Amino acid sequence: MTQAPEIPLHAQRNRFDLPDELLRLREEQPVTKIRLPWGTSAWLVTKYSDIREVFGDANRFSNSAEARPFGDQIADRSGFLLAYDPPDHTRLRKMLTPEFTVRRIRRLQPRIEAIVDDHLDALEQAGPPADLVSTFALPIPSLVICELLGVPYDDRDEFQDHAAVRLDMTQDVDKRIAALEASRRYMAGLVATHRANPGDDMIGMLIREHGDDLTDTELTGVADLLLLAGHETTSNMLALGTLLLLRHPEQAAEIRAGRLVDEAVEELLRYLSIVHSGIPRTAKQDLVLSGQRIAAGDVLVCSLPAANRDPILGADLGTFDITRKISAHMAFGHGLHHCLGAPLARMEMRIAFPALLRRFPTMALAAPYEELPFRQHSPVHGLQALPITW
């Protein structure tokens, strides 16, 4: 059995808390050298203002040169939008942006509400106890992104299994590459089907409106990324967010009553910061960041949880408070790589949390909090399971 790699500092969590060492570095040494799991070194950036600078300046910090979540193993990143710099990134993102505007996403609201209600009905009929991850948190965003993209939901076991391996840092690199390649083969087959008969979904739209400007490989990469990110991130927000609200019943009561829902979603995003760092950046020139000299070619890893609890944003950010007013958090990143699906994720959470809390007002944990299986060794923080009763 392969020994699990050491979890790098920027990806460590103690349930909802951050390591003391990470917080200390943000105050005393906000740019410091670390070793990454695949053996290379990088600069860990922990201060909010520094991370905004890194994320906001594509002229000095590149996504493509060291955008390697699997180390140096994968050369073909066609369509993997997060690993693109301008002008290629600009070209691809411009094609996708119209489908992710707040106005366009609003069209999905009735369908998302129906999907949430259907899963709540099934949960209620099955009765307690239940695992909220497998019955609610994972299937809802999976079904939403499948319908949006034009991916058959019946194939969910296949693409969810591939996603689980791709994001599991305890798996050896060959297995993770094999899962990525299997995901791309699956999506390439789907793209070919859509080329022959484009529907009204997003893949069909891209083919009809931009088919001559997008290669099949690019379209496969874009769709694969959207499918992966579209269900993995929101599902972990729904599970972790529910657990957090169960531990703060007074704040859950506000959401159940329909109050402070928008504020609660933003505070959940900030406080949980489920994506540890996103794609590493590479310095394109010699530069200085927080007094630290960075050489051209050096890799930078940015801690989003540390940034989102930086005192520059407000007081007592280590506590969860839905009355807080912070709009400039970086749970969705910042700059030209700001998460394309942010409006969709926000809508799913604004619908799902109040509906869940209203349907099951007596919901409680069905296992001791200390025994809950939090995800480790993953780029995305979350829960493997959330046993509940009511």
Side-chain angles (χ1 to χ4, degrees):
M1 183 176 178
T2 305
Q3 184 176 0
E6 183 179 351
I7 303 173
L9 180 61
H10 70 276
Q12 292 178 22
R13 306 284 181 107
N14 179 14
R15 294 181 170 84
F16 294 117
D17 296 328
L18 305 185
D20 291 339
E21 175 67 3
L22 187 67
L23 302 179
R24 183 191 68 78
L25 286 174
R26 187 188 60 208
E27 303 310 312
E28 299 177 8
Q29 199 175 342
V31 180
T32 189
K33 266 285 174 69
I34 61 168
R35 297 288 292 180
L36 297 175
W38 46 87
T40 58
S41 63
W43 294 103
L44 175 60
V45 185
T46 50
K47 200 163 70 172
Y48 178 87
S49 58
D50 288 341
I51 295 174
R52 277 184 69 93
E53 182 177 344
V54 172
F55 282 7
D57 190 348
N59 291 321
R60 294 192 300 152
F61 302 97
S62 168
N63 268 49
S64 64
E66 290 291 340
R68 300 178 182 132
F70 301 97
D72 296 338
Q73 311 293 329
I74 299 171
D76 183 8
R77 297 198 164 271
S78 298
F80 190 81
L81 197 62
L82 297 179
Y84 276 35
D85 288 334
D88 290 330
H89 175 272
T90 310
R91 175 180 66 87
L92 281 176
R93 179 139 180 158
K94 188 176 180 181
M95 298 177 194
L96 293 167
T97 298
E99 286 299 303
F100 284 98
T101 61
V102 173
R103 182 176 61 84
R104 291 282 186 97
I105 293 301
R106 266 198 212 109
R107 296 178 310 177
L108 298 174
Q109 182 168 340
R111 180 58 185 142
I112 296 173
E113 289 172 345
I115 290 170
V116 169
D117 286 342
D118 287 347
H119 284 80
L120 289 173
D121 290 345
L123 196 56
E124 189 171 24
Q125 289 164 14
D131 170 25
L132 199 73
V133 171
S134 61
T135 60
F136 187 80
L138 181 58
I140 287 172
S142 295
L143 184 51
V144 170
I145 197 65
C146 280
E147 291 194 3
L148 182 64
L149 285 175
V151 174
Y153 185 60
D154 288 344
D155 295 343
R156 63 190 178 277
D157 288 344
E158 180 178 354
F159 67 70
Q160 286 173 359
D161 288 348
H162 294 325
V165 175
R166 290 167 69 174
L167 296 177
D168 184 355
M169 299 297 289
T170 66
Q171 299 284 347
D172 65 49
V173 171
D174 289 342
K175 284 186 179 179
R176 296 176 68 208
I177 292 175
L180 182 145
E181 290 174 344
S183 297
R184 289 224 166 186
R185 282 195 302 273
Y186 167 77
M187 194 58 73
L190 209 57
V191 165
T193 300
H194 281 71
R195 282 278 189 193
N197 185 25
D200 296 328
D201 47 68
M202 187 177 296
I203 297 177
M205 178 277 295
L206 288 170
I207 289 169
R208 286 194 311 274
E209 298 183 12
H210 307 286
D212 294 338
D213 303 318
L214 276 171
T215 67
D216 282 354
T217 305
E218 285 178 327
L219 186 53
T220 294
V222 166
D224 177 63
L225 173 61
L226 291 175
L227 180 62
L228 176 68
H231 77 270
E232 272 290 334
T233 51
T234 307
S235 68
N236 283 294
M237 279 297 305
L238 290 176
L240 276 179
T242 299
L243 174 59
L244 187 60
L245 291 169
L246 287 176
R247 295 183 64 77
H248 294 84
E250 302 87 356
Q251 300 190 58
E254 292 292 300
I255 301 168
R256 184 181 297 110
R259 296 188 291 266
L260 298 174
V261 174
D262 290 353
E263 293 85 349
V265 167
E266 296 309 311
E267 177 67 352
L268 284 162
L269 287 163
R270 179 202 70 83
Y271 186 78
L272 295 174
S273 296
I274 60 167
V275 176
H276 302 305
S277 63
I279 296 295
R281 268 53 171 186
T282 303
K284 297 169 73 172
Q285 61 191 57
D286 294 346
L287 54 94
V288 175
L289 193 65
S290 271
Q292 181 64 60
R293 294 189 177 277
I294 310 291
D298 283 359
V299 179
L300 299 96
V301 172
C302 296
S303 171
L304 299 180
N308 281 336
R309 298 190 185 192
D310 192 321
I312 196 173
L313 292 176
D316 198 23
L317 295 184
T319 62
F320 176 66
D321 179 4
I322 64 173
T323 67
R324 204 186 300 278
K325 297 282 193 294
I326 293 180
S327 60
H329 64 71
M330 283 195 283
F332 290 119
H334 172 69
L336 60 87
H337 287 283
H338 182 271
C339 177
L340 192 65
L344 177 60
R346 283 186 167 106
M347 174 169 283
E348 290 180 75
M349 287 185 278
R350 286 167 182 162
I351 293 169
F353 283 124
L356 175 66
L357 292 170
R358 283 194 293 266
R359 183 69 69 95
F360 302 111
T362 61
M363 180 171 52
L365 288 179
Y369 173 68
E370 294 74 20
E371 295 177 10
L372 295 179
F374 282 76
R375 286 172 61 154
Q376 304 287 338
H377 302 284
S378 172
V380 182
H381 189 41
L383 287 161
Q384 296 173 12
L386 180 58
I388 59 163
T389 188
W390 57 89

